[in-house]
Amino acid sequence: MSQVAEYSEKVMDHFANPRNVGEIENASGVGTVGNAKCGDIMRMYLDIQDNVIRDAKFKTFGCGAAIATSSMATELVKGKTVEEAMTVTNKAVMEALDGLPPVKIHCSLLAEEAIHAALWNYAEKTGVKIPGLEKPVTDIGEKEA
Ligand code: FES
């Protein structure tokens, strides 16, 4: 019999009560990423003023782990400078959620990539250079082995 994946309490909490769901009108940066393999899509909105992320919101059409990782990712980037937001990697999101089952790790990658996509959009609009930021992919499935 295959094993049922176990989720931490934090994952369950962020799935059941996701923070920062919605859109930001006239956002400083918007990024959308999907994974063609599972069909999930995540869109992140960032409101950036004076180089600081004042607000972050998301809309995710996806699995519970994708919702929990989007929720946690938006919580983690809020209040950070755009440079500091680069430290919000999928690993950081997973750690903040007390881990994810191995089959769900790609969901946290979607969150990292969606943040990068929103930052990229902001950088393109403003001409700001964000160290370490690479052009995001629209299909995260390309990054997986
Ligand atoms: Fe694909 Fe969760 S199953 S993002």
Side-chain angles (χ1 to χ4, degrees):
M1 223 171 76
S2 68
Q3 259 206 296
V4 176
E6 294 219 359
Y7 291 103
S8 72
E9 270 174 39
K10 279 195 189 161
V11 172
M12 292 311 291
D13 177 35
H14 278 263
F15 165 57
N17 311 293
R19 327 300 198 256
N20 313 310
V21 175
E23 297 177 21
I24 296 175
E25 240 181 273
N26 302 317
S28 317
V30 184
T32 307
V33 213
N35 184 336
K37 279 187 203 149
C38 64
D40 290 1
I41 300 166
M42 203 179 273
R43 178 171 290 168
M44 291 270 178
Y45 301 81
L46 299 176
D47 176 24
I48 301 167
Q49 284 167 42
D50 301 327
N51 204 44
V52 173
I53 299 172
R54 305 283 175 188
D55 200 8
K57 293 214 183 295
F58 77 91
K59 279 195 157 174
T60 292
F61 179 80
C63 73
I67 290 166
T69 54
S70 324
S71 170
M72 183 54 92
T74 49
E75 284 287 272
L76 291 175
V77 296
K78 275 205 278 183
K80 286 193 166 53
T81 65
V82 293
E83 290 83 12
E84 287 166 353
M86 291 299 292
T87 63
V88 181
T89 57
N90 79 304
K91 216 170 148 245
V93 172
M94 277 201 293
E95 274 169 18
L97 285 169
D98 293 337
L100 279 173
V103 291
K104 290 289 173 181
I105 289 172
H106 81 269
C107 316
S108 64
L109 265 176
L110 204 55
E112 176 187 314
E113 201 67 9
I115 291 172
H116 287 179
L119 287 172
W120 183 267
N121 178 238
Y122 166 74
E124 276 198 323
K125 284 202 262 188
T126 56
V128 167
K129 289 255 173 302
I130 304 174
L133 183 62
E134 287 172 17
K135 193 174 188 333
V137 296
T138 48
D139 176 9
I140 195 80
E142 292 169 16
K143 278 202 168 179
E144 286 170 19

Short mmCIF file of all heavy atoms in Angstrom, two decimals, residues 4 9-10 27 90 114 119 127-128 130 133 137-138:
data_model
loop_
_atom_site.label_atom_id
_atom_site.label_comp_id
_atom_site.label_asym_id
_atom_site.label_seq_id
_atom_site.Cartn_x
_atom_site.Cartn_y
_atom_site.Cartn_z
N VAL A 4 0.40 7.49 2.71
CA VAL A 4 -0.26 8.78 2.59
C VAL A 4 0.71 9.85 3.08
O VAL A 4 1.32 9.69 4.13
CB VAL A 4 -1.56 8.80 3.42
CG1 VAL A 4 -2.21 10.17 3.39
CG2 VAL A 4 -2.52 7.74 2.92
N GLU A 9 1.64 20.73 10.89
CA GLU A 9 0.51 21.59 11.33
C GLU A 9 0.54 22.93 10.62
O GLU A 9 -0.49 23.50 10.29
CB GLU A 9 0.59 21.82 12.84
CG GLU A 9 -0.16 20.77 13.61
CD GLU A 9 0.02 20.91 15.11
OE1 GLU A 9 0.06 22.06 15.58
OE2 GLU A 9 0.14 19.87 15.76
N LYS A 10 1.76 23.44 10.39
CA LYS A 10 1.87 24.75 9.74
C LYS A 10 1.36 24.70 8.31
O LYS A 10 0.71 25.63 7.84
CB LYS A 10 3.32 25.23 9.76
CG LYS A 10 3.70 25.85 11.07
CD LYS A 10 4.97 26.63 10.96
CE LYS A 10 5.41 27.04 12.35
NZ LYS A 10 6.82 27.39 12.39
N ALA A 27 -0.03 46.78 -9.02
CA ALA A 27 1.11 46.22 -8.29
C ALA A 27 2.43 46.66 -8.93
O ALA A 27 2.49 46.90 -10.14
CB ALA A 27 1.02 44.70 -8.30
N ASN A 90 12.89 28.35 -2.03
CA ASN A 90 11.92 27.29 -1.73
C ASN A 90 12.31 26.57 -0.44
O ASN A 90 11.46 26.13 0.32
CB ASN A 90 11.81 26.30 -2.91
CG ASN A 90 12.93 25.32 -2.99
OD1 ASN A 90 14.09 25.70 -3.04
ND2 ASN A 90 12.61 24.05 -3.00
N ALA A 114 7.59 32.13 -8.46
CA ALA A 114 6.56 33.17 -8.61
C ALA A 114 7.05 34.49 -8.00
O ALA A 114 6.82 35.57 -8.56
CB ALA A 114 5.26 32.72 -7.96
N LEU A 119 9.39 39.87 -8.99
CA LEU A 119 10.55 40.76 -8.83
C LEU A 119 11.12 41.12 -10.21
O LEU A 119 11.54 42.26 -10.44
CB LEU A 119 11.63 40.09 -7.98
CG LEU A 119 11.35 39.99 -6.48
CD1 LEU A 119 12.41 39.13 -5.79
CD2 LEU A 119 11.29 41.37 -5.81
N GLY A 127 13.87 49.33 -14.01
CA GLY A 127 15.28 49.37 -14.37
C GLY A 127 16.20 49.05 -13.20
O GLY A 127 17.43 49.15 -13.31
N VAL A 128 15.60 48.63 -12.08
CA VAL A 128 16.40 48.26 -10.90
C VAL A 128 17.09 46.92 -11.15
O VAL A 128 16.50 46.02 -11.75
CB VAL A 128 15.46 48.15 -9.67
CG1 VAL A 128 16.13 47.47 -8.50
CG2 VAL A 128 14.94 49.52 -9.26
N ILE A 130 18.52 43.57 -9.54
CA ILE A 130 18.43 42.79 -8.31
C ILE A 130 19.46 41.67 -8.39
O ILE A 130 19.35 40.76 -9.22
CB ILE A 130 17.00 42.22 -8.10
CG1 ILE A 130 15.97 43.36 -8.12
CG2 ILE A 130 16.93 41.42 -6.81
CD1 ILE A 130 14.53 42.92 -8.07
N LEU A 133 19.15 37.70 -9.41
CA LEU A 133 17.84 37.42 -10.02
C LEU A 133 18.03 37.04 -11.49
O LEU A 133 18.59 37.79 -12.27
CB LEU A 133 16.92 38.63 -9.91
CG LEU A 133 15.50 38.44 -10.44
CD1 LEU A 133 14.76 37.35 -9.67
CD2 LEU A 133 14.70 39.74 -10.38
N VAL A 137 11.28 31.24 -15.35
CA VAL A 137 10.61 30.43 -16.37
C VAL A 137 9.11 30.51 -16.13
O VAL A 137 8.67 30.78 -15.01
CB VAL A 137 11.06 28.95 -16.31
CG1 VAL A 137 12.53 28.83 -16.62
CG2 VAL A 137 10.74 28.33 -14.96
N THR A 138 8.34 30.31 -17.17
CA THR A 138 6.89 30.34 -16.95
C THR A 138 6.37 28.95 -16.60
O THR A 138 5.32 28.81 -16.01
CB THR A 138 6.14 30.86 -18.20
OG1 THR A 138 6.63 30.18 -19.32
CG2 THR A 138 6.34 32.36 -18.37
#
